[in-house]
Amino acid sequence: LPDARDGLKPVQRRVLYAMDQLGLNYDKPHRKSARIVGDTMGKYHPHGDSSIYETLVVLAQDFKKGMALVDGHGNFGSIEGDGAAAMRYTEAKLKKFTQDVYLADLDKDVVDFVPNFDETEKEPSVLPVRVPNILVNGAEGIAVGMATNIPTHNLGEVVDAVIAYMDNNNITTEELLQIMPGPDFPTGGIVANKSDLKDIYENGTGKLKLRGKLEFEKGKGREKDKLVITEIPYTMIGAGIGKFISDVIDLVETKKTTDIVDISNGSDENGIRIVLELKKGADVEKLKNILYKKTKLEDTFGVNMLAIADGRPETLNLKGILRNFMEFQYQNTERKYNVLLEKELDKQIRQMESTHPG
């Protein structure tokens, strides 16, 4: 489960810290993923290398994360479910955003360091993250008898919501939703049940109804009219895209619709583009409804905002997440400036001693 303060699970935190300790700064060359995984496993996370590498890969995938934290070099998988290349072939380093927002001030005693598994190293118990990462990048995970599933959100909107909460701790969920209108998935898509958002963010649990985005393109000359899917529900990442195409083919073969004459997948690194060619005079609105009803172009995302708060699992609502984050920021800032003040006082004392010896 993620920590409510930095929004990271232990393996994510350890991968980022290991990369920081290896000096893999954004302005330095990439380093082999196998080296990062080896350091993480040997020093901080004594578990399987495959789970560590999988974590590194997901941290680099901008179609899974609101803000990717790792700059991957090589084949890091695709939105259509292709796996990443083996760790001996890929390379990675930190993004500038990660260095500035997630790892800055680690040298200023802002967070507690704890012994690692064999007490030969120290590792941070939490990273001094300056944005509510739990909202920006979301989270999914399971623990004994419990699970968490938090959607991703737009960074700018989340920061604006934090500022509004700082200005007024009694701000209502409704007022926060005017600033941060809901989830913002990296795959796009539309939230079809916006009226339920207030309850979901007040309770920390609920169901989002996600829909893909369909655009009608009029055929030019002899070209057929097209219905183009440009955004998909977040739940369709991976094998879901291939499943959707086979489901559409099934609809045509079983005569559930006769309006589609061809389907092709033109998706690439620039985004999703699944093209349905239509017969002349097709009923576009009826076809849209069939696609939403009979395929995963409309799907459910079960929200459960469970995180570790004050050392124990707790289902947090939106204000609870912001409150935990703000308390963490105040604590970090206080510790940082106490350290800086002590250093400055020490410096002044040394200067006085050097000018007035004895």
Side-chain angles (χ1 to χ4, degrees):
L1 298 179
D3 193 293
R5 295 168 294 176
D6 64 3
L8 296 168
K9 293 189 275 189
V11 64
Q12 294 172 324
R13 190 178 301 119
R14 287 164 176 166
V15 166
L16 293 176
Y17 182 64
M19 291 178 77
D20 182 57
Q21 292 300 290
L22 280 167
L24 300 185
N25 298 347
Y26 75 94
D27 53 356
K28 299 277 173 62
H30 293 81
R31 187 79 68 86
K32 283 286 182 194
S33 300
R35 173 66 197 272
I36 298 165
V37 171
D39 262 45
T40 307
M41 184 166 61
K43 291 182 176 178
Y44 314 113
H45 199 72
H47 302 282
D49 57 357
S50 58
S51 65
I52 297 170
Y53 183 49
E54 196 177 312
T55 299
L56 177 67
V57 166
V58 171
L59 287 171
Q61 291 177 327
D62 55 8
F63 53 85
K64 278 195 182 170
K65 293 288 175 192
M67 292 292 291
L69 303 179
V70 168
D71 180 358
H73 188 68
N75 175 13
F76 271 77
S78 77
I79 194 169
E80 294 177 56
D82 302 315
M87 66 176 108
R88 61 184 178 275
Y89 299 123
T90 61
E91 299 177 339
K93 63 180 178 179
L94 293 165
K95 282 187 175 279
K96 186 175 191 302
F97 175 74
T98 316
Q99 276 183 244
D100 293 347
V101 179
Y102 286 64
L103 296 158
D105 294 336
L106 271 175
D107 58 337
K108 295 186 178 69
D109 192 35
V110 289
V111 294
D112 292 333
F113 276 73
V114 294
N116 70 339
F117 62 92
D118 62 359
E119 301 193 352
T120 57
E121 300 273 347
K122 294 271 191 175
E123 61 174 311
S125 58
V126 63
L127 291 184
V129 182
R130 295 178 177 181
V131 296
N133 178 59
I134 201 163
L135 291 174
V136 174
N137 273 328
E140 56 185 54
I142 49 172
V144 180
M146 56 189 82
T148 187
N149 208 24
I150 302 170
T152 59
H153 295 78
N154 179 280
L155 174 64
E157 291 171 0
V158 169
V159 170
D160 288 344
V162 170
I163 293 166
Y165 180 78
M166 284 170 68
D167 290 341
N168 175 18
N169 290 167
N170 297 317
I171 191 169
T172 65
T173 305
E174 261 177 316
E175 288 169 328
L176 283 169
L177 287 177
Q178 287 170 6
I179 300 160
M180 189 192 81
D184 188 8
F185 292 101
T187 54
I190 299 154
V191 176
N193 61 331
K194 285 185 179 164
S195 57
D196 296 339
L197 286 175
K198 181 173 173 283
D199 286 343
I200 291 170
Y201 283 111
E202 274 186 350
N203 300 320
T205 58
K207 284 189 168 68
L208 290 170
K209 197 183 281 184
L210 303 178
R211 282 182 171 179
K213 191 175 181 184
L214 290 161
E215 292 179 1
F216 178 74
E217 290 182 5
K218 187 81 180 156
K220 294 172 187 169
R222 289 189 171 185
E223 278 185 7
K224 290 184 166 61
D225 292 346
K226 298 183 185 81
L227 199 55
V228 182
I229 293 134
T230 55
E231 297 176 8
I232 59 171
Y234 187 66
T235 49
M236 224 165 101
I237 286 177
I241 294 174
K243 174 79 167 67
F244 168 74
I245 292 170
S246 66
D247 285 348
V248 172
I249 293 167
D250 201 41
L251 288 174
V252 174
E253 287 176 347
T254 56
K255 302 281 194 293
K256 296 250 174 44
T257 179
T258 55
D259 287 336
I260 301 170
V261 295
D262 194 18
I263 181 169
S264 60
N265 186 1
S267 306
D268 57 21
E269 67 273 7
N270 298 317
I272 293 290
R273 184 176 168 83
I274 301 168
V275 181
L276 308 177
E277 285 192 16
L278 309 179
K279 75 173 190 186
K280 201 171 182 181
D283 186 339
V284 176
E285 287 309 310
K286 184 183 174 188
L287 179 57
K288 282 182 181 179
N289 288 332
I290 289 170
L291 291 172
Y292 285 138
K293 197 171 181 182
K294 301 286 186 184
T295 73
K296 289 286 187 183
L297 199 61
E298 178 176 295
D299 205 3
T300 302
F301 181 98
V303 177
N304 189 21
M305 302 205 289
L306 185 74
I308 304 293
D310 296 324
R312 58 187 179 82
E314 189 180 332
T315 301
L316 299 166
N317 59 18
L318 178 56
K319 285 183 70 174
I321 286 174
L322 295 176
R323 185 182 66 251
N324 272 282
F325 172 74
M326 285 315 306
E327 285 171 0
F328 181 52
Q329 294 308 304
Y330 286 131
Q331 177 190 316
N332 286 357
T333 307
E334 190 177 336
R335 284 177 66 158
K336 174 183 172 178
Y337 286 107
N338 276 334
V339 167
L340 292 173
L341 179 63
E342 277 177 35
K343 280 185 180 173
E344 195 58 38
L345 290 171
D346 281 351
K347 194 167 126 190
Q348 286 182 8
I349 290 167
R350 282 200 303 274
Q351 280 176 345
M352 285 171 66
E353 285 173 347
S354 63
T355 51
H356 303 287

